[in-house]
Amino acid sequence: MMKILAISGSLRGSSSNTAICQAMVRLAPDNIKISLYEKLGELPHFNPELDSDNLPASVKDWRTQLKESNGVLICTPEYAHGVPGVLKNALDWIVSSGEFVDKPTAVISASPSPDGGEKAHASLVQTLTVMAAKIVEGATLLIPAISAKLNHQGEVTDEATAQALRLLLNTLAKAIKKH
Ligand code: FNR
């Protein structure tokens, strides 16, 4: 069974980015298990002094979940032209431990704006690249005008977006298999 960890960069209960992650969970075929990492907001603020033998339990769990996944899927909003602090914080905890090294990773950003959060997307790709993640070619996606593409239940109603998500998942799964 292939395991993919999905991470939403938004803590909002009715987040469109979390809805995309959940749509990916539903899209996954039987041989792929996508789990949503739901504890982003529980991680302490990164402090290198806490990165010791006394590591907080939440950080241990975050690292374990990443380690045990064959691939990662991140879907994030853009805040003030950047990556949400809560997501950047989570990534900072992984710089020293290296769970992202060579990890096949897909990067999506979704925004109500016409550019789909492209600045946060580019910044996130840069951060993951310096952490030596394997950003999978063809598994990056900007979703503009997201509000018009989801219904009230958070389901993807726009067929072109649903198709792009299926293709992205397929591309990520193929890269994981080859890995
Ligand atoms: C935003 N939003 C936003 N959108 C964007 O495309 N570029 C931006 O720089 C920002 N900046 C920004 C700052 C703050 C403080 C908020 C609250 C919002 C809008 C944002 O994309 C929108 O709220 C999304 O719906 C957030 O994603 P989730 O929570 O729906 O996943």
Side-chain angles (χ1 to χ4, degrees), residues 8-19 75-82 110-120 146-147 150:
S8 167
S10 174
L11 299 181
R12 235 163 44 87
S14 53
S15 159
S16 45
N17 283 277
T18 305
C75 191
T76 187
E78 174 175 278
Y79 286 161
H81 290 186
S111 166
S113 83
D115 70 14
E118 65 181 4
K119 294 179 194 72
I146 185 66
S147 328
L150 299 173

Side-chain angles (χ1 to χ4, degrees), residues 31-52:
N31 60 334
I32 303 178
K33 180 171 168 39
I34 304 184
S35 318
L36 187 56
Y37 178 69
E38 293 181 291
K39 297 182 178 167
L40 208 65
E42 293 173 28
L43 293 170
H45 291 157
F46 176 65
N47 175 347
E49 288 168 353
L50 298 179
D51 196 355
S52 63

